[in-house]
Amino acid sequence: MAIEALPSGYEPADVESRWIDYWREHKTFTPDPDGPGDPYCIVIPPPNVTGALHMGHALNITLQDILCRYHRQLGRKVLWIPGTDHAGIATQNVVERALAAEGRSREDLGREKFIERVWEWREQYGGRILNQIRRLGASVDWSRERFTMDEGLSRAVREVFVRLYEEGLIYRGDYIINWCPRCRTALADLEVEYAPRASKIYHIRYPVEGSDRFVVVATTRPETMLGDTAVAVHPEDERYADLVGGSVVLPLVGRVIPVIADAYVEREFGTGCLKVTPAHDMNDFELGKRHGLACISVMDGAGVINGEAPEKYRGLDRLACREAVLADLKSQGLLEAVKDYEHNVGECYRCKTVIEPFVSKQWFVRTGPLAEVARKAVEDGRTNIYPEQWTRTYYDWLDNIRDWCVSRQIWWGHRIPAWTCQDCGELIVARRDPESCPKCAGSRLVRDPDVLDTWFSSALWPFSTLGWPDDTPELRTFYPTSVLVTGFDILFFWVARMMMMGLHFRDDVPFREVYIHALVRDGEGKKMSKSTGNVIDPLVMVDRYGTDALRFTLTAFAAMGRDIKLSEERIQGYRHFVNKLWNAARFSLMNLGEDVSGMDLAVAAEAGPAHAWILSRLEAVKEAVAGALDGYRFNEATQELYGFLWHEFCDWYLEMVKVDMSSGDETRIAAARRTLWTVLSELLTLLHPVMPFVTQEIWSRLPGVDQPDLARMPYPPARPDLRREEASETMDLVRQVVVGVRNIRAELNISPGLKLSALVRTPSEAEAGRLAACGELIRFLARLEGFEAGTGVTAPRASAAAAAGGSALFVPLAGAVDFASEMARLAKEEAKVVKELDVVEKKLHNESFISRAPADVVEKEREKARAGHEKLDRLRELTRRIRGLMES
Ligand SMILES: [Zn+2]
Ligand SMILES: [Zn+2]
């Protein structure tokens, strides 16, 4: 096969789509559960089926892909499962909006037709986010794609619900929940967002029964007083000690309610006297339970006052009711004070409506026993969290966990498998839809209309995607999964719940490790948001710079525990790195013969100091990259690869190897080719997990390759015998000498083409010998005619000097540089600059120019003056140096 030259530029778009298809056709990422190798498994955090790829996903996918590709290289059988989440409320909203555009509502369609409509939407648009993930090069197994509502996962959800119910870990009960009156659904604690709002606090007088005294309570929500069932004070508050055990008369309602004592009351807050509304406040609900108080709901699910309130308020919206209550209190002289008050108010995370604590019948998971087990698994180290600081947060959350309200009042989702018998009231929870009541044999069964919280199904993701409740080869091989890679924002929503469910149903942790990555922010460190207009779209970046450039950038900044500051310039910068690799490969391919196996590598390493050095460095890089990836230090891996490719391989080795290539000596050429091929092919393998496309494209043109699919190549083997510390030291010295000569040329303005000589005085004979052995290289790289190294070298007349490590470098200039004419040239140039500068300075000293000319024109002149002075300084310094050389 003839070696096909690489095109002069790398064109990502064409290359990427070609390899995406290739990998799919060749089933590169579809492992056999019974095949050889240790299992390595990751389940993708399933993106919402309504989602569009953002930079956070791009980072998340890139890091998982690096891990999967790297572990494949280590010989593991790797399974990375893709899929999407049905995203209950989000998806329902999208379809409802589409219906609204047609002038219809979900109620118009009815439940069944509406759900059909959602499935149609999913068929049409549900693959979008996965197609976007595909473009990132994700090495997921597409043949095992899952959806949280697919048949298998639905079965898993039902099995889990029924088992937990049978075990008493799921119950139905009255509970105060966060409720969004607009969305008309319960919200989990985590779905409530708190935002500061300016509001008012009202001081209201409650008459003490049988007395003309009042107690004064403070509230921000006066309408809830209609549901008050007690007034509470602190047990040690002397102001109210005589009232405890007595009663007050609830204004506007006339209900006589008790005064109770509870240490929960803060004496310093307001008047120290608290109105208690168990049906409309979370804390009051608990307080009410402790004291056996009645729980009176005065609002319905839409926030409208109901029949439990006095007639005149019924039918009013909660805010209209507030006004009416305040007006009535005022006219009765019971509104003592109104004060401005700013406090944090809970809002619905989706629609920002102020939430209303609400008592209703809901389904709950009893989390206490599950949380305890989940905590222990991390304490024992059965699951490790990286960075470790998140472990604390995980414990705190589990320690303060409340029962998990899992019912949602929407239509799209896993419907709760519970029925109520209309004849005898029996509650039936069953794996299969019941036809009759097991208690009375009646057939009038009504199914619970609610669906499960979306997080209920995603909590099962690590085992439901592997086939549970069936005993599949995938489940046996790949559970527990290896690592979960996720952002910290869903540590509780998702990670802790997967821990609870995995441990309960599989008796083992769902993943051995959790890697929590940072946020992607803009270049200034600000959060990306549509309203700020600083969002960087990953797909636009992929179109502009190629996927590999984006992936490398994200990885290069993915330091553990630190947010990523991303800008387009940075991605553009790494696009240059992709080009650098491409050009290095292009040069290499032009210099490699077809047969690259001609010489043993150990022999090649002995054939020249440059080969020994680069091969030794390659060994060090292999070790460092593996160590970094093993410890999730992604940025360190890319730093190693970047520095090695750019500053060692390209800047130096590819230059050095030209000497061999042009030597005409077959043995030398064979050694150079063998080394060049080894470094390039292993470098491609090392870079592949981060930049899969460009590396694969180059790989496909590389001679001497048996495995065309780079993703199937093993991690380059360690060759400890090629580690040569002294080769690295020698090459460091060589590079310092070359850089020293180059600097002297630059400083003294000596043309790069002018042949010079150099002498180096070394501290030891050994070093002199090693340098002298590199004489040919040094002469070539520094464009020298002569080179000499020794311990007895003295500074020749008229020579420029520089330090090179512990050695001294001298470049004799007598004869090479015509000092007299150089001095004349400098003098002429200096005179010219002085004259120009004079004109500029006159202008700048001219008052009328300064005051009349536009600011930018004046600034331009100032800039000219600054540049002129700098140039003058440089010329004078050069003159001084040359005069010094002439006199030495
Ligand atoms: Zn809402
Ligand atoms: Zn019945």
Side-chain angles (χ1 to χ4, degrees):
M1 188 186 88
I3 298 169
E4 200 187 333
L6 286 182
S8 60
Y10 175 58
E11 296 296 338
D14 156 63
V15 168
E16 291 173 8
S17 60
R18 205 152 26 79
W19 291 113
I20 287 171
D21 292 345
Y22 176 92
W23 287 321
R24 183 137 61 151
E25 278 161 28
H26 290 80
K27 300 192 168 28
T28 303
F29 309 128
T30 301
D32 173 3
D34 300 321
D38 289 338
Y40 185 86
C41 181
I42 298 184
V43 289
I44 216 169
N48 282 359
V49 67
T50 52
L53 193 80
H54 57 62
M55 219 32 112
H57 294 126
L59 171 69
N60 181 260
I61 296 294
T62 299
L63 299 183
Q64 290 175 74
D65 193 46
I66 291 171
L67 292 172
C68 285
R69 288 179 187 269
Y70 170 63
H71 284 276
R72 249 177 234 116
Q73 292 180 331
L74 297 184
R76 307 251 169 91
K77 51 184 169 198
V78 174
L79 173 59
W80 184 14
I81 300 184
T84 45
D85 191 288
H86 67 279
I89 297 178
T91 310
Q92 176 158 324
N93 278 352
V94 167
V95 177
E96 278 191 87
R97 270 203 300 277
L99 280 176
E102 301 164 14
R104 292 195 291 173
S105 71
R106 71 180 152 115
E107 284 81 9
D108 293 341
L109 257 70
R111 185 164 187 147
E112 209 169 303
K113 283 263 175 294
F114 178 77
I115 289 173
E116 266 173 37
R117 182 72 188 249
V118 182
W119 277 108
E120 277 168 29
W121 180 91
R122 192 249 170 192
E123 280 311 307
Q124 209 172 343
Y125 301 105
R128 183 180 59 171
I129 181 102
L130 292 179
N131 281 326
Q132 293 171 333
I133 286 174
R134 207 183 302 262
R135 291 197 58 194
L136 293 175
S139 62
V140 296
D141 181 356
W142 292 109
S143 72
R144 289 185 168 100
E145 181 193 328
R146 302 309 296 263
F147 177 53
T148 50
M149 291 254 291
D150 69 23
E151 203 216 318
L153 269 61
S154 299
R155 206 150 54 83
V157 165
R158 189 134 172 194
E159 178 65 27
V160 164
F161 188 93
V162 175
R163 266 202 223 175
L164 288 175
Y165 179 77
E166 288 168 353
E167 292 165 351
L169 289 171
I170 275 187
Y171 63 92
R172 189 163 183 254
D174 268 336
Y175 208 75
I176 189 149
I177 47 158
N178 302 298
W179 179 268
C180 174
R182 198 211 66 92
C183 303
R184 295 205 190 188
T185 184
L187 297 172
D189 290 349
L190 294 166
E191 291 168 335
V192 178
E193 286 178 352
Y194 291 87
R197 285 209 186 189
S199 72
K200 304 240 186 276
I201 191 158
Y202 304 92
H203 290 230
I204 305 170
R205 292 175 177 157
Y206 284 13
V208 175
E209 198 196 19
S211 137
D212 50 8
R213 274 176 73 185
F214 296 105
V215 292
V216 177
V217 299
T219 178
T220 55
R221 297 186 300 150
E223 67 281 6
T224 62
M225 68 174 289
L226 302 174
D228 282 4
T229 52
V231 162
V233 297
H234 194 276
E236 284 151 30
D237 194 335
E238 285 163 11
R239 292 173 292 178
Y240 305 111
D242 60 320
L243 293 178
V244 174
S247 307
V248 296
V249 180
L250 183 62
L252 311 183
V253 180
R255 184 159 58 233
V256 176
I257 57 176
V259 178
I260 59 170
D262 194 290
Y264 162 75
V265 181
E266 287 175 56
R267 273 172 283 186
E268 297 73 27
F269 183 78
T271 57
C273 198
L274 185 77
K275 69 193 262 313
V276 184
T277 327
H280 295 285
D281 182 279
M282 299 284 179
N283 296 312
D284 292 6
F285 183 81
E286 300 295 336
L287 197 63
K289 273 211 285 196
R290 280 202 293 279
H291 294 270
L293 301 175
C295 184
I296 301 174
S297 285
V298 294
M299 278 173 231
D300 68 11
V304 173
I305 307 303
N306 65 16
E308 294 290 343
E311 185 143 13
K312 72 171 293 195
Y313 304 112
R314 293 178 195 167
L316 290 179
D317 174 77
R318 55 182 170 156
L319 293 180
C321 177
R322 176 175 301 177
E323 295 312 315
V325 163
L326 289 171
D328 291 346
L329 288 171
K330 206 169 172 186
S331 71
Q332 293 178 25
L334 294 175
L335 187 58
E336 187 170 280
V338 181
K339 290 175 183 164
D340 287 330
Y341 186 59
E342 185 173 299
H343 65 142
N344 282 330
V345 174
E347 297 172 348
C348 169
Y349 79 116
R350 287 186 305 110
C351 76
K352 310 295 173 206
T353 298
V354 175
I355 60 119
E356 193 67 53
F358 188 71
V359 174
S360 64
K361 282 263 186 280
Q362 300 289 340
W363 289 93
F364 290 88
V365 172
R366 205 181 298 284
T367 41
L370 300 171
E372 204 175 300
V373 179
R375 191 190 207 283
K376 200 147 189 315
V378 172
E379 281 169 15
D380 297 349
R382 274 177 290 160
T383 294
N384 291 303
I385 302 177
Y386 300 87
E388 212 225 320
Q389 76 218 43
W390 290 106
T391 308
R392 183 82 266 145
T393 323
Y394 173 83
Y395 291 153
D396 284 348
W397 190 71
L398 289 177
D399 292 345
N400 295 301
I401 198 166
R402 299 204 311 169
D403 282 354
W404 175 17
C405 175
V406 292
S407 39
R408 293 291 182 274
Q409 288 66 48
I410 56 171
W411 287 353
W412 175 243
H414 295 284
R415 191 149 173 194
I416 292 174
W419 289 257
T420 310
C421 172
Q422 301 301 292
D423 297 321
C424 72
E426 176 77 353
L427 182 65
I428 307 150
V429 171
R431 285 177 181 80
R432 308 179 116 227
D433 294 7
E435 272 156 25
S436 61
C437 172
K439 199 171 163 197
C440 75
S443 58
R444 297 199 304 131
L445 305 179
V446 174
R447 188 167 186 177
D448 192 308
D450 290 356
V451 301
L452 286 165
D453 180 7
T454 300
W455 296 104
F456 190 90
S457 49
S458 32
L460 320 181
W461 190 247
F463 54 92
S464 61
T465 51
L466 292 170
W468 190 91
D470 296 335
D471 181 30
T472 61
E474 281 84 357
L475 190 64
R476 285 195 299 270
T477 304
F478 293 109
Y479 192 94
T481 68
S482 307
V483 60
L484 182 83
V485 179
T486 183
F488 64 83
D489 46 339
I490 50 176
L491 184 61
F492 311 131
F493 271 119
W494 193 43
V495 179
R497 287 166 181 172
M498 284 190 285
M499 289 290 285
M500 293 195 274
M501 293 298 194
L503 283 156
H504 191 73
F505 286 94
R506 293 295 305 160
D507 205 23
D508 202 347
V509 293
F511 19 74
R512 300 269 180 231
E513 296 185 336
V514 177
Y515 176 74
I516 296 179
H517 58 69
L519 283 178
V520 185
R521 297 173 175 275
D522 77 0
E524 267 86 58
K526 287 204 259 326
K527 201 172 169 189
M528 287 191 196
S529 78
K530 273 193 191 134
S531 55
T532 317
N534 61 347
V535 173
I536 307 177
D537 183 338
L539 295 172
V540 172
M541 295 301 108
V542 162
D543 286 339
R544 242 171 242 172
Y545 306 107
T547 301
D548 289 329
L550 174 64
R551 289 174 56 125
F552 201 93
T553 312
L554 289 168
T555 313
F557 291 101
M560 205 182 287
R562 211 180 310 141
D563 283 349
I564 296 174
K565 289 186 193 168
L566 186 74
S567 65
E568 181 161 355
E569 291 70 39
R570 287 186 158 178
I571 302 167
Q572 202 171 13
Y574 284 108
R575 164 75 214 217
H576 297 318
F577 179 67
V578 175
N579 286 343
K580 194 81 183 168
L581 171 63
W582 185 261
N583 291 332
R586 217 167 156 254
F587 169 87
S588 304
L589 292 185
M590 285 190 284
N591 284 284
L592 287 173
E594 283 172 44
D595 180 19
V596 287
S597 56
M599 185 183 275
D600 188 72
L601 198 56
V603 177
E606 294 299 329
H611 310 323
W613 162 69
I614 200 76
L615 288 169
S616 176
R617 283 290 303 136
L618 178 64
E619 289 308 307
V621 170
K622 280 191 254 188
E623 189 180 304
V625 168
L629 292 182
D630 289 338
Y632 301 106
R633 297 186 308 276
F634 296 97
N635 59 320
E636 286 180 24
T638 52
Q639 262 162 30
E640 281 293 329
L641 290 164
Y642 185 96
F644 179 69
L645 172 71
W646 196 302
H647 299 302
E648 296 182 295
F649 186 62
C650 291
D651 283 355
W652 293 97
Y653 183 72
L654 292 185
E655 293 303 309
M656 293 172 173
V657 89
K658 286 175 184 168
V659 184
D660 299 305
M661 294 299 181
S662 59
S663 68
D665 177 336
E666 282 309 317
T667 313
R668 283 185 67 175
I669 293 173
R673 283 179 171 167
R674 180 77 181 122
T675 309
L676 185 57
W677 182 86
T678 303
V679 178
L680 179 65
S681 64
E682 297 202 346
L683 195 48
L684 289 173
T685 316
L686 294 173
L687 281 164
H688 179 73
V690 190
M691 304 201 296
F693 294 110
V694 67
T695 50
Q696 171 65 57
E697 178 69 8
I698 297 168
W699 185 261
S700 69
R701 322 263 183 136
L702 198 64
V705 163
D706 301 326
Q707 170 55 268
D709 192 347
L710 180 53
R712 294 180 194 264
M713 283 297 288
Y715 197 80
R719 298 190 195 88
D721 56 308
L722 292 181
R723 280 302 242 314
R724 308 277 162 90
E725 285 316 313
E726 84 289 345
S728 285
E729 282 164 25
T730 305
M731 213 46 65
D732 281 346
L733 191 54
V734 167
R735 291 193 293 169
Q736 283 172 355
V737 168
V738 172
V739 168
V741 174
R742 286 176 185 168
N743 286 346
I744 287 169
R745 279 190 201 269
E747 285 159 15
L748 295 175
N749 204 22
I750 299 169
S751 136
L754 186 69
K755 289 286 183 186
L756 299 171
S757 290
L759 299 88
V760 173
R761 184 172 61 225
T762 58
S764 74
E765 285 300 338
E767 272 175 291
R770 296 216 299 269
L771 261 190
C774 299
E776 187 189 17
L777 264 185
I778 294 171
R779 285 200 304 276
F780 173 77
L781 294 170
R783 293 171 171 247
L784 295 174
E785 229 161 23
F787 176 74
E788 201 182 298
T791 50
V793 166
T794 54
R797 249 199 72 244
S799 63
S807 301
L809 164 71
F810 305 105
V811 178
L813 297 170
V817 178
D818 180 348
F819 292 128
S821 67
E822 181 63 10
M823 288 294 270
R825 185 187 67 81
L826 286 172
K828 217 166 129 191
E829 199 168 338
E830 186 178 325
K832 191 174 142 227
V833 175
V834 167
K835 207 168 145 195
E836 285 166 359
L837 206 49
D838 193 43
V839 175
V840 176
E841 305 234 287
K842 272 207 182 104
K843 260 196 198 168
L844 288 173
H845 284 108
N846 181 341
E847 288 295 333
S848 74
F849 170 76
I850 296 289
S851 56
R852 280 193 219 144
D856 61 321
V857 173
V858 176
E859 187 43 46
K860 221 175 251 172
E861 292 300 313
R862 291 216 167 98
E863 184 47 46
K864 263 193 214 165
R866 269 194 294 273
H869 278 294
E870 269 170 31
K871 192 164 181 193
L872 204 55
D873 288 346
R874 266 201 317 276
L875 288 169
R876 286 175 177 164
E877 170 60 22
L878 199 50
T879 309
R880 258 194 303 279
R881 282 196 67 172
I882 292 181
R883 189 172 299 129
L885 287 170
M886 289 168 78
E887 286 161 5
S888 72

